Amino acid sequence: MKKLFKCTICGFISEGEEAPEKCPKCLQGKDKFVELSTEDADKIYQSDRTNDIHMEIIALTDKIAVLCKEGLDIKLDPNCVGVFEKAKNESWTIKQRSKAELAGHMTNGKW
Ligand SMILES: [Zn+2]
């Protein structure tokens, strides 16, 4: 089973048999890496996919917001405008909820 090593300077996580010679992010040497415990490594593996899903949701909400703005600019009729306004606000809520969840993951070492 592969091991995970964390850069103590920037937090970069490296996977492999041993720590990299240099951190790919902050360029510090191998001596700045510590091996993660199985428990901490499990958290990272388990959250890897869900973090990707949250990021994809965040990107989709930006797309929804752009579409809503286009719909609002057309101003077809009051009902249509109302639907776009609601969708725009809801996309903001969805985005912020996923961002908050991601921030929670980071704090808990799930990334
Ligand atoms: Zn680093």
Side-chain angles (χ1 to χ4, degrees):
M1 191 184 142
K2 281 180 186 164
K3 298 169 184 170
L4 291 183
F5 299 88
K6 182 181 179 179
C7 174
T8 55
I9 304 300
C10 73
F12 182 87
I13 302 289
S14 178
E15 186 186 54
E17 287 309 309
E18 54 186 281
E21 289 306 317
K22 265 187 179 180
C23 175
K25 182 168 183 288
C26 71
L27 308 178
Q28 294 291 310
K30 193 176 191 167
D31 60 316
K32 301 294 185 210
F33 279 84
V34 292
E35 187 179 340
L36 291 182
S37 67
T38 310
E39 190 192 346
D40 285 345
D42 282 349
K43 278 187 196 171
I44 287 172
Y45 281 123
Q46 285 167 1
S47 60
D48 192 46
R49 178 61 188 148
T50 55
N51 287 343
D52 284 350
I53 293 169
H54 282 300
M55 288 191 284
E56 203 169 329
I57 285 172
I58 289 165
L60 286 170
T61 60
D62 283 339
K63 210 169 173 178
I64 291 169
V66 168
L67 288 171
C68 290
K69 189 176 178 317
E70 188 186 343
L72 288 168
D73 288 346
I74 293 170
K75 275 190 188 155
L76 180 65
D77 59 52
N79 284 340
C80 192
V81 165
V83 167
F84 287 133
E85 271 171 357
K86 263 193 181 155
K88 196 176 156 208
N89 291 337
E90 286 161 356
S91 75
W92 171 261
T93 302
I94 292 166
K95 178 183 186 173
Q96 297 309 319
R97 203 165 40 216
S98 277
K99 282 167 74 175
E101 184 59 19
L102 274 178
H105 287 186
M106 303 302 144
T107 309
N108 296 317
K110 297 176 184 170
W111 80 93

